[in-house]
């Protein structure tokens, strides 16, 4: 035995020995991370084998680069490559824990636009065990520095390096072959990054994502009018039609789009310790003049809030990776709600209590035709630490300060109001909310009801203000949740919240429901059970306002109130929900009962047809986005947006609003004799009470 260990130690003191030691340690930690840090849905022995195999090919390939060099340089190159790969693994562990997805080039590029509260977020996401991925790197460095492993200065024959390169590529092909055999069309028909990592590995996913990003950059130059005609043909052959009961019912009304950050449908009427979490939103949901949809799903991917905004205001899907607002918001042609309504006599404005670079809003909103964007610089308290929740002003302060601008908007107006307090990591002091945390034992989840309750209180104060200044009965108020607040990685906590022993994939699909409510005078309220998603919001709103979209505007969604809609709800990963079926990966459930189905021939035919529809609409939407196809088509009566027409500086905006008060005295303030209505806005925000 002693002789064996002596021989092993001697091998470790060679370049090849160190190379194989490093590769083995990297493979082991990656495989452990796959099994313990990610939920990759491994379902069979062959998938288990592929998962164990896939860290090896690129590890051998990348570490093998160092074999072409000699001495210390070879060793330190291996360590640098190991550290870089480990950092990529570590970053994905953190990102996946919160977002159930993997980092993409688009997300990395837009990181400065996404998260200005990174410190708090990391503190909530990071587990001590995550740091162990660096343990092998640290140990190997110590072994070299202490000379327990000595650097082999002898040159390695080039044939060993070449052989290792060839072997790693061959192993990569074996991995890919096994993967494609288990899941045909792996790289062509999947919308889920989990599949790529499960079958090919994190490094291969990064390479594939880089390829996709390159394709996006080149696809625009390859586009033609023929591409646009194929989209038009599909929409012409699959119309939903307007709803005749409500078409034009709210013509000329003001429009509010109230964005409920990270707000899920299960919160509606949800009680904890006998208290309603969201009593004000519940009352709005049940109002006799509110149309409420209880089978409405978010359809976002990595772009999260930005994906929701893209769908709500353009009826186009976000991208499978990254954020469309970041990648294409500045350069693309759009026919968005603000531009459409501005050309129908509306004043348009968006309000968000953070910097305009967040999700590239400052540029994207110009492309969408927003005349006004009230961002952080318009809110005097935005930089005060106690007023800020990390992603912008606390909702109560933000909404009260926004009233100053709402009252100046000439009517009719279209105003989007984006809340932020109910945002991960769900941190709020006791002075802001006394609502108790849940007791799931999951720190990420337990604060969720606290910030949701605060958002609800802020919403109630905002609605009371609208009533006092006579905007409530003269407006169509659209309220929606942008995406999940609790990711699927928190299964035990979700089960406790829902009162279940455990949750299935069906339960998690239903957990993606978010509220969608339309309140307007003259609307017969009630709960509508139609299945739909964020992609359907814009055609629904436009039809209510009497603006014909079918056969004119390019929208991938359908009016939720149309009796002809198909009720297929695509998710960005290619799964879907219909009133009959819920498809999650290879599993199909009965939507009404949640029962896992063993499909009959006729059921398989219907599921295949529904899947073809999902793949088609997602593919067409991606073509519109990545190839900028809307530049080839202008709807009848629509004028293309000129981004240079818009200036969101404080001085320019204030000057324009003052002039509009004179030219078009229809604003709330103008009708109030030029006097501010800010005193009509009542809030119990402790920061504002203290400052008085």
């Amino acid at each position: 035995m002693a002789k064996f260990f002596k021989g092993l130690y001697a091998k470790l003191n060679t370049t090849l020995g160190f190379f194989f030691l490093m590769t083995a340690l990297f493979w082991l930690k990656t495989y452990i991370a796959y099994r313990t840090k990610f939920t990759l849905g491994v379902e069979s022995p062959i998938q288990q084998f592929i998962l164990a195999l896939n860290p090896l090919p690129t590890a051998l390939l990348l570490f093998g680069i160092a074999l072409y060099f000699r001495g210390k340089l070879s060793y330190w190159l291996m360590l640098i490559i190991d550290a870089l790969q480990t950092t990529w693994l570590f970053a994905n562990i953190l990102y996946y824990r919160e977002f159930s997805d993997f980092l993409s080039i688009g997300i990395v590029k837009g990181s400065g636009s996404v998260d200005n509260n990174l410190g708090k977020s990391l503190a909530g996401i990071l587990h001590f065990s995550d740091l162990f991925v660096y343990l092998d790197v640290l140990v190997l460095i110590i072994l070299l520095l202490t000379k327990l492993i000595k650097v082999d200065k002898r040159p390695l024959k080039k044939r060993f390096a070449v052989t290792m390169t060839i072997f790693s590529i061959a192993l990569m092909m074996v991995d890919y072959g096994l993967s494609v055999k288990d899941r045909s069309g792996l790289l062509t028909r999947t919308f889920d990054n989990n599949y790529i990592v499960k079958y090919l590995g994190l490094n291969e996913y990064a390479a594939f994502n880089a390829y996709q990003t390159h394709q996006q950059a080149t696809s625009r130059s390859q586009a033609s009018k023929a591409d646009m005609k194929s989209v038009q043909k599909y929409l012409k052959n699959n119309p939903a039609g307007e709803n005749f009961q409500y078409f034009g019912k709210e013509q000329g009304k003001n429009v509010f789009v109230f964005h409920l950050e990270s707000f899920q449908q299960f919160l509606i009427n949800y009680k904890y310790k006998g208290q309603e979490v969201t009593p004000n939103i519940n009352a709005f949901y049940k109002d006799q003049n509110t149309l409420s949809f209880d089978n409405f799903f978010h359809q976002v991917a990595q772009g999260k809030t930005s994906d929701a905004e893209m769908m709500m205001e353009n009826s186009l899907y976000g991208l499978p990776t990254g954020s469309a607002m970041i990648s294409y918001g500045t350069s693309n042609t759009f026919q968005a709600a603000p531009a459409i309504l501005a050309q129908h006599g509306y004043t348009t404005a968006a309000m968000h209590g953070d910097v305009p670079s967040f999700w590239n809003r400052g540029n994207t909103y110009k492309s969408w035709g927003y005349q006004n964007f009230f961002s952080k610089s318009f809110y005097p308290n935005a930089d005060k630490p106690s007023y800020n929740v990390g992603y912008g002003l606390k909702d109560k302060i933000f909404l009260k300060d926004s009233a100053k601008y709402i009252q100046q908007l000439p009517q009719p107006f279209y105003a989007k109001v984006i809340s932020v307090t109910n945002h991960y990591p769900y941190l709020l002091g006791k002075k802001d909310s006394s609502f108790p945390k849940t007791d799931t034992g999951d720190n990420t989840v337990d604060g969720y009801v606290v910030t949701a309750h605060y958002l609800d209180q802020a919403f109630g104060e905002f609605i009371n203000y609208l009533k006092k200044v006579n905007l409530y009965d003269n407006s169509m108020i659209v309220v929606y949740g942008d995406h999940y607040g609790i990711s699927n990685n928190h299964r035990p906590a979700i089960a406790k919240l829902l009162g279940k022993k455990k949750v299935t994939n069906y339960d998690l699909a239903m957990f993606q429901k978010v509220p969608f409510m339309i309140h307007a005078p003259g609307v017969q309220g009630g709960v509508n059970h139609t299945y739909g998603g964020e992609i359907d919001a814009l055609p629904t709103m436009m039809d209510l306002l009497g603006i014909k979209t079918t056969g004119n505007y390019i929208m991938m969604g359908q009016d939720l109130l149309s009796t002809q809609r198909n009720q297929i709800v695509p998710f960005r990963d290619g799964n879907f929900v219909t009133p009959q079926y819920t498809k999650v990966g290879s599993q199909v459930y009965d939507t009404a009962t949640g029962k896992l189905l063993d499909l009959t021939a006729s059921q398989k035919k219907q599921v295949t047809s529904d899947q073809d529809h999902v793949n088609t609409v997602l593919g067409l939407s991606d073509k519109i986005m990545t190839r900028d196809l809307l530049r080839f088509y202008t709807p009848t009566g629509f004028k293309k947006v000129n981004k240079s027409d818009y200036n969101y500086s404080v001085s320019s905006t204030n000057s324009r609003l003052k002039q509009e008060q004179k030219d078009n005295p229809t604003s709330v303030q103008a009708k109030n004799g030029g006097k501010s209505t800010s005193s009509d806005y009542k809030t119990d925000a402790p920061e504002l009470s203290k400052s008085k």
Side-chain angles (χ1 to χ4, degrees):
M1 184 64 69
K3 186 177 181 180
F4 169 78
F5 283 110
K6 186 176 181 180
L8 179 62
Y9 180 70
K11 292 288 185 184
L12 292 179
N13 281 276
T14 65
T15 304
L16 275 180
F18 187 79
F19 167 82
F20 285 120
L21 174 63
M22 177 173 284
T23 301
L25 291 175
F26 182 82
W27 167 82
L28 181 62
K29 74 179 178 187
T30 304
Y31 179 70
I32 292 172
Y34 283 170
R35 299 307 305 269
T36 61
K37 303 296 184 180
F38 306 117
T39 307
L40 299 178
V42 178
E43 298 171 350
S44 66
I46 185 63
Q47 290 182 12
Q48 294 278 13
F49 177 76
I50 291 170
L51 187 71
L53 173 65
N54 81 40
L56 274 178
T58 52
L60 290 169
L61 180 66
L62 295 175
F63 291 146
I65 294 172
L67 298 181
Y68 288 91
F69 301 87
R70 61 181 293 182
K72 288 184 179 180
L73 179 58
S74 176
Y75 282 71
W76 287 109
L77 274 176
M78 279 189 267
L79 285 169
I80 291 170
I81 293 169
D82 192 5
L84 289 173
Q85 288 193 90
T86 300
T87 299
W88 174 241
L89 174 63
F90 177 74
N92 274 281
I93 288 171
L94 298 187
Y95 187 81
Y96 191 92
R97 182 167 293 131
E98 179 54 24
F99 298 113
S100 302
D101 206 345
F102 299 93
L103 283 165
S104 67
I105 290 175
I107 289 294
V108 174
K109 282 170 59 180
S111 60
S113 302
V114 175
D115 194 349
N116 61 352
N117 194 31
L118 187 60
K120 290 181 181 177
S121 295
L122 285 178
I125 296 171
L126 181 65
H127 293 177
F128 180 73
S129 61
D130 300 336
L131 299 173
F132 279 91
V133 296
Y134 285 103
L135 182 61
D136 64 315
V137 182
L138 181 62
V139 168
L140 289 172
I141 291 174
I142 291 172
L143 289 174
L144 285 175
L145 292 177
T146 58
K147 297 186 179 181
L148 288 173
I149 289 182
K150 298 178 178 62
V151 173
D152 185 0
K153 297 181 180 180
R154 294 172 296 173
L156 192 68
K157 292 181 180 180
K158 284 291 188 289
R159 69 169 182 266
F160 288 112
V162 173
T163 299
M164 193 53 60
T165 300
I166 294 172
F167 177 73
S168 63
I169 294 173
L171 197 60
M172 201 178 295
M173 294 299 100
V174 170
D175 181 27
Y176 180 72
L178 291 172
S179 299
V180 171
K181 186 176 181 180
D182 192 63
R183 180 174 174 80
S184 61
L186 175 63
L187 299 180
T188 57
R189 67 181 180 90
T190 182
F191 292 90
D192 189 348
N193 293 329
N194 280 291
Y195 285 106
I196 308 297
V197 175
K198 177 171 70 174
Y199 284 107
L200 302 182
L202 259 179
N203 289 331
E204 287 80 353
Y205 159 74
F208 180 65
N209 180 251
Y211 169 77
Q212 287 181 309
T213 303
H214 173 71
Q215 289 294 96
Q216 290 173 3
T218 58
S219 61
R220 191 182 192 278
S221 62
Q222 300 170 351
S224 67
K225 291 182 179 180
D227 295 316
M228 187 69 249
K229 288 181 179 178
S230 67
V231 176
Q232 291 174 267
K233 181 179 179 180
Y234 178 83
L235 294 177
K236 182 180 180 180
N237 293 335
N238 295 272
E242 297 89 4
N243 78 84
F244 296 103
Q245 179 183 1
Y246 282 118
F247 185 82
K249 188 78 172 179
E250 305 308 319
Q251 187 171 6
K253 296 290 193 299
N254 298 313
V255 180
F256 283 99
V257 174
F258 197 102
H259 175 114
L260 299 172
E261 172 64 42
S262 304
F263 196 100
Q264 295 179 239
Q265 175 71 14
F266 86 90
L267 286 170
I268 300 293
N269 297 323
Y270 187 82
K271 291 184 178 180
Y272 182 64
K273 292 188 175 180
Q275 298 183 62
E276 287 183 285
V277 177
T278 58
N280 294 296
I281 295 173
N282 294 345
F284 187 87
Y285 185 83
K286 300 170 188 174
D287 189 277
Q288 64 178 355
N289 294 123
T290 300
L291 276 168
S292 301
F293 295 84
D294 63 351
N295 289 312
F296 185 87
F297 294 80
H298 82 77
Q299 296 165 287
V300 309
Q302 289 186 335
K304 298 303 182 290
T305 295
S306 67
D307 284 355
E309 290 191 65
M310 181 64 70
M311 287 183 280
M312 291 291 296
E313 302 202 78
N314 294 272
S315 196
L316 295 174
Y317 291 96
L319 299 173
T321 63
S323 163
M325 282 176 60
I326 290 174
S327 298
Y328 298 103
T330 305
S331 59
N332 272 23
T333 301
F334 293 96
Q335 295 151 14
I340 295 171
L341 291 174
Q343 294 176 33
H344 282 79
Y346 277 73
T347 305
T348 60
M351 300 170 191
H352 182 248
D354 206 346
V355 293
S357 61
F358 201 101
W359 287 125
N360 195 34
R361 286 188 177 100
N363 294 311
T364 302
Y365 284 176
K366 291 178 181 178
S367 299
W368 290 359
Y370 266 113
Q371 297 162 335
N372 302 282
F373 177 28
F374 302 99
S375 58
K376 183 177 180 179
S377 56
F378 288 85
Y379 297 90
N381 297 313
D383 286 321
K384 295 181 180 179
S386 63
Y387 286 59
N388 195 297
V389 76
Y391 293 89
L393 276 171
K394 293 178 182 176
D395 291 340
K396 290 182 180 181
I397 304 169
F398 162 66
L399 292 173
K400 177 173 174 54
D401 288 351
S402 294
K404 178 175 68 174
Y405 303 113
I406 291 170
Q407 69 177 346
Q408 296 180 64
L409 298 176
Q411 301 184 69
F413 58 73
Y414 172 84
K416 177 170 66 174
V417 183
I418 304 173
S419 68
V420 298
T421 306
N422 192 45
H423 194 297
Y424 179 83
Y426 313 119
L427 298 175
L428 206 58
K430 290 184 178 180
K431 64 182 177 61
D432 289 305
S433 178
S434 59
F435 199 87
K437 290 185 177 182
T438 53
D439 57 357
T440 68
D442 188 320
N443 291 333
T444 297
V445 172
D446 286 338
Y448 182 60
V449 293
V450 178
T451 51
H453 184 70
Y454 178 91
L455 167 58
D456 176 78
Q457 291 178 314
F459 177 79
E461 293 172 352
F462 184 75
I463 293 298
N464 287 337
Y465 170 76
L466 297 186
K467 290 177 178 178
K468 285 183 180 180
V469 297
N470 299 317
L471 284 175
Y472 188 73
D473 291 329
N474 193 34
S475 302
M476 183 172 82
I477 305 171
V478 179
V479 181
Y480 84 105
D482 63 341
H483 55 75
Y484 64 80
I486 302 170
S487 75
N488 288 349
N489 284 330
H490 302 278
R491 289 185 180 223
I494 293 171
K496 285 188 177 182
L497 289 175
L498 299 181
K500 298 188 175 188
K501 290 184 178 179
K502 64 178 182 178
V503 290
T504 65
N505 286 334
Y506 166 82
D507 295 322
L508 294 176
M510 294 301 108
F511 201 58
Q512 306 314 307
K513 291 181 182 180
V514 293
F516 184 65
M517 300 169 265
I518 302 174
H519 175 94
V523 166
Q524 183 65 43
V527 178
N528 188 304
H529 304 304
T530 296
Y531 280 75
E534 290 162 331
I535 200 71
D536 303 309
L538 183 58
T540 306
M541 292 189 291
M542 291 296 106
D543 282 359
L544 282 164
L545 294 171
I547 298 173
K548 180 177 172 59
T549 58
T550 303
N552 192 24
Y553 286 94
I554 304 300
M555 297 183 183
M556 303 312 296
Q558 299 178 336
D559 185 347
L560 289 165
L561 298 169
S562 171
T563 57
Q564 302 172 48
R565 62 175 280 104
N566 58 35
Q567 296 198 70
I568 301 174
V569 185
F571 295 130
R572 185 62 262 197
D573 60 6
N575 294 323
F576 62 84
V577 172
T578 74
Q580 292 77 37
Y581 305 112
T582 296
K583 182 174 179 294
V584 183
S586 60
Q587 297 177 323
V588 179
Y589 298 85
D590 183 306
T591 297
T593 65
K595 180 182 177 182
L596 184 63
L597 298 174
D598 184 8
L599 297 176
T600 64
S602 62
Q603 288 174 327
K604 283 183 180 178
K605 184 177 180 181
Q606 183 59 54
V607 169
T608 299
S609 175
D610 292 344
Q611 186 69 71
D612 288 343
H613 168 81
V614 168
N615 293 346
T616 299
V617 296
L618 290 174
L620 288 175
S621 182
D622 286 346
K623 282 185 178 180
I624 292 170
M625 189 68 65
T626 60
R627 300 185 183 185
D628 191 18
L629 295 187
L630 293 183
R631 63 194 156 119
F632 297 122
Y633 172 75
T634 304
T636 303
F638 182 81
K639 182 181 178 183
K640 285 188 176 182
V641 172
N642 183 354
K643 294 187 282 290
S644 64
D645 289 342
Y646 308 109
N647 185 332
Y648 299 147
S649 69
V650 174
S651 59
S652 177
T653 300
N654 288 338
S655 176
R656 183 174 62 255
L657 288 174
K658 286 181 181 179
Q659 187 61 43
E660 287 175 345
Q661 300 297 307
K662 298 178 182 179
D663 298 340
N664 185 16
T666 58
S667 69
V668 169
Q669 186 168 313
K671 290 185 175 183
N672 195 40
K675 296 179 182 178
S676 173
T677 62
S678 294
S679 60
D680 289 317
Y681 200 109
K682 305 298 182 184
T683 178
D684 65 359
E687 297 84 1
L688 299 182
S689 299
K690 185 178 179 181
S691 63
K692 290 180 181 179

